[in-house]
Amino acid sequence: MIADRDRLATTPAHDVALSCVEAGIEAATPERVLRESISVEEDVLTVADSQYDLAAYDSVVVLGGGKAADVVARELERHLEGYLDRGLVVSTKPVATDTVETVAGSHPIPDADSLAGARRIFQRAQGLGEGTLVLAPITGGGSALLALPAGDITLVDLQATTEELVESGASINEINAVRKHCSAIKGGGLARAAAPATVVGLLFSDVVGDDPGVIASGPTAPDATTYEDALEILDRYDVAVPAVVREHLEAGVAGERAETPTDPAVLGHVDNHVLADAWTALSAARDIASEAGYEPLVLSSRVRGEATEAALSQLAIAEESAATGTPVEPPTVLLSAGETTVTVMGKGDGGPNLEFALRVAVERSEGIVCASVDTDGEDGGTEVAGAIVDGETLSNPQRGRAALLENDALPALEESNAVIETGPTGTNVNDLRVFVIEA
C-alpha cells in the first residue's frame, strides 16, 4: 500500500508506525467493511442490524457520492449480484463497475463535473416510488463531489465560498453547515428528492462524532443547523463570500427559503448506517501495535483544531511517556484520529497531516517516531497521504519552521524523504496518527 515502504522503514519503530498506518487504512476499505457489515440471504439484505426484503421492492438502485463511493458501489454489485438494477455515484477517480455508473468530480473544490454528476443523481432520485430501494453510499469528500447549488447561487459562487471556508480554519462541521444551506442536494436534499422510496444510507465517516448530518454535508440526513448558523460562521471567521451567497442565506433567515429538515420524522423513509469511522482504523492499528510487542494507547478519535497545535500537544504526551513512563511505559504506541485544520496564511503546498508531521519534526525529539496520514491517501490538496518523521528528519529545523509559516510543508518533507504515498486508498475515515516510543 505504501510506496517505497522499505526506504521509509529505516528502523523497527518506523516499520511499526507504517504497519499501523497500513492496517488502519486496510480495515476501513469498503471491501473489508462491507464484508463484515452487509449480507444477502434468501432475498433479505442485512445492513448492520437492519433487514430489507429485496423481494418486496420493484427495483434496487444506488445513488451517492464521495471519495470512496465508487468502491462501495463496486462492492455492492458483488454482494447484490442479480438484485441491483442501476445506479450512479460521483467520486474523484472512479473505479470500473458493471451496473452502477461512476463519474468523476473534483475535490476539495467542486467543478463542472461535480455539478453535472450531482444534478444527474438528484434527477434520478426524483419520481421514485415506494417500490424502490435506494442504497446511498455517502463518504468523505461528498460535500465537494455532490455540488448542486441552491437558488441563484452558481458553481463559481460555490467554488469561491468553498475555497474561502477551507482556508479559514473553520471546522468541518462549520464548513458543512454553510454548504448545506447553499445546496439543493445536501442537508437531507437527496433523501427528500427520493421520497417515498426507501433510502438506506451507507456512510463512511470522515468527521469527528460521526454525525450523519455532517458526513458529506448529510445528503440523506436531518440537519441540526440553520441559515442563521451559516451566516454566523461566515462572520466568525471573516469569510468573504460572493454577494449572492450572503443574500441567499439572509433570505433563509428571513423565512423566504425553506429550512433544511431538522425533524427526523420528515425523513422517516430513511435509514442511515455508519459502517466505518475513525475507530475502525484505530482498532486495527492498535491490534498491530500490540502484536508487535508495544503497549498501545488511543489518545482520542476526536482530535481537532489547528494541526500544529495538536502536534505539539500529542508530542508532549509522547515525550512524557519516553521520560517518565506516564501515561504509558515504553515501548508504546500512541494513536489518535480526528480532523485537524489549517488556517492558511501562506501560499505553499501542504495539508493538515503534513503540517502535523513537520511540526513534530521541528522539535527533534529523540527516540520518537511519528506518522500522520489522511486515510484517503490525499492530504489537503496534495497527492500524498502524509509523512513519517523522527528527531533526525530535518537537517535544518529553521527551514521547517519557515515552511510552516508559509504553509509549505510538502516541499520540506519531500526534501527530507519523509512523505508517505499510498495513492487513492478507496476509503476515507479521516486522519490517523501514530507515535512510536521505544524502550
Side-chain angles (χ1 to χ4, degrees), residues 237-281:
Y237 291 94
D238 196 24
V239 178
V241 297
V244 67
V245 171
R246 182 167 286 276
E247 291 166 3
H248 175 87
L249 297 177
E250 289 173 346
V253 172
E256 298 170 10
R257 297 190 180 279
E259 184 58 86
T260 50
T262 58
D263 185 357
V266 174
L267 301 181
H269 60 296
V270 181
D271 292 333
N272 283 308
H273 302 277
V274 178
L275 302 183
D277 58 14
W279 269 105
T280 306

Side-chain angles (χ1 to χ4, degrees), residues 328-355:
V328 58
E329 187 78 30
T332 184
V333 172
L334 306 181
L335 299 163
S336 73
E339 182 168 43
T340 59
T341 54
V342 174
T343 302
V344 178
M345 306 298 289
K347 296 182 179 181
D349 293 324
N353 288 283
L354 291 166
E355 292 215 356

Side-chain angles (χ1 to χ4, degrees), residues 158-200:
L158 198 62
Q159 289 171 329
T161 300
T162 303
E163 189 168 356
E164 291 292 328
L165 282 166
V166 169
E167 295 185 354
S168 70
S171 70
I172 192 63
N173 294 51
E174 294 166 328
I175 292 172
N176 286 358
V178 178
R179 284 166 155 171
K180 283 184 278 190
H181 289 87
C182 295
S183 172
I185 198 170
K186 301 179 181 70
L190 177 60
R192 284 195 293 185
T198 299
V199 178
V200 180

